[in-house]
Amino acid sequence: MKIGFVGLGKMGLNMVTRLVQGGHEVVAFARTAATVDEAVKIGAVGAHSLKEVVAQLKTPRVVWVMVPSGETTEKVIEELSTLLSEGDVIIDGGNSNYHDTKARALRLAKKNIRFVDSGTSGGVWGLKVGYCLMVGGDKATIAMIEPILKTLAPPDGYLHTGPSGAGHYVKMIHNGIEYGMMQAYAEGFEILKASEYDLDLAGIANLWNRGSVVR
């Protein structure tokens, strides 16, 4: 497929790389020109504005937005909605609040612009092993973008979780579990450090990565 990609941070640039390696044509844009140049080096087509991104895509256009949640995402999606046409698709791959996602989907539907929310997990390992994708939206739109999802995800690594907002809702719960695990690790090692024993914390961490259920 040919896809526009907005946002080239650590995850975004790696996702563009995986898409290019998977045979897709990617038109990449970020506010920092240097990161656009990095995307060009790995085989993407560079763009220096959202208008340039849209101009280089054919209908029905697909644009993946991978920028910080909140105001930044809102501004990007709002501007894209003034540039895209009926039947085009916006995918929000960031950590947006699912209430905001549902509201955006309704607003975009009034312009007949399709909207998909993709909770995206994988961090810096995603380039090599793929991204776990929790996808919300209507079935027809998700079927249309399935080649992109299959390239980004490992085998069985994406799921249509439900209508608009469902993807970001599932990702929200995923994040809560993740941060709870991180806090448990931190508290556990704090207790180890405070013990009466002179413990090799790095050695214990290495040990626990070898077969332990908390690895």
Side-chain angles (χ1 to χ4, degrees):
M1 294 183 68
K2 189 169 186 177
I3 178 175
F5 203 99
V6 180
L8 299 172
K10 288 181 179 179
M11 283 185 69
L13 189 59
N14 281 346
M15 291 171 73
V16 167
T17 303
R18 192 170 170 94
L19 287 168
V20 170
Q21 290 175 348
H24 302 279
E25 187 175 352
V26 183
V27 180
F29 165 67
R31 289 179 296 179
T32 306
T35 56
V36 176
D37 293 340
E38 287 296 314
V40 171
K41 288 178 183 177
I42 60 176
V45 176
H48 297 285
S49 68
L50 293 177
K51 189 173 183 179
E52 278 189 32
V53 172
V54 172
Q56 295 185 73
L57 301 173
K58 294 182 179 179
T59 56
R61 305 174 185 90
V62 178
V63 181
W64 190 296
V65 177
M66 200 71 188
V67 299
S69 61
E71 185 178 357
T72 303
T73 294
E74 181 68 24
K75 286 181 177 179
V76 169
I77 291 175
E78 180 59 30
E79 185 175 348
L80 280 172
S81 74
T82 68
L83 300 169
L84 295 172
S85 305
E86 293 187 8
D88 291 346
V89 182
I90 297 174
I91 306 167
D92 177 7
N95 279 320
S96 291
N97 184 305
Y98 78 100
H99 291 293
D100 294 339
T101 297
K102 291 167 64 178
R104 287 170 185 144
L106 290 173
R107 280 204 315 271
L108 292 168
K110 293 178 180 179
K111 297 184 176 183
N112 291 319
I113 296 172
R114 294 179 280 183
F115 188 55
V116 172
D117 51 293
S118 177
T120 307
S121 181
V124 295
W125 307 279
L127 173 58
K128 183 177 180 180
V129 302
Y131 298 88
C132 178
L133 304 175
M134 298 142 260
V135 187
D138 69 85
K139 289 184 179 179
T141 303
I142 290 169
M144 172 189 167
I145 66 169
E146 190 173 45
I148 296 167
L149 303 178
K150 284 185 173 181
T151 297
L152 287 172
D156 298 321
Y158 79 90
L159 180 70
H160 180 199
T161 56
S164 294
H168 283 155
Y169 183 86
V170 174
K171 180 56 163 49
M172 175 181 68
I173 304 307
H174 167 282
N175 287 354
I177 294 170
E178 176 186 350
Y179 302 152
M181 291 167 62
M182 292 167 66
Q183 183 169 336
Y185 290 140
E187 290 182 2
F189 277 93
E190 183 177 30
I191 295 168
L192 288 173
K193 185 177 181 181
S195 78
E196 64 187 278
Y197 304 105
D198 182 18
L199 298 173
D200 178 359
L201 301 187
I204 292 169
N206 186 61
L207 170 69
W208 286 351
N209 274 326
R210 303 298 186 272
S212 163
V213 295
V214 296
R215 68 186 180 276

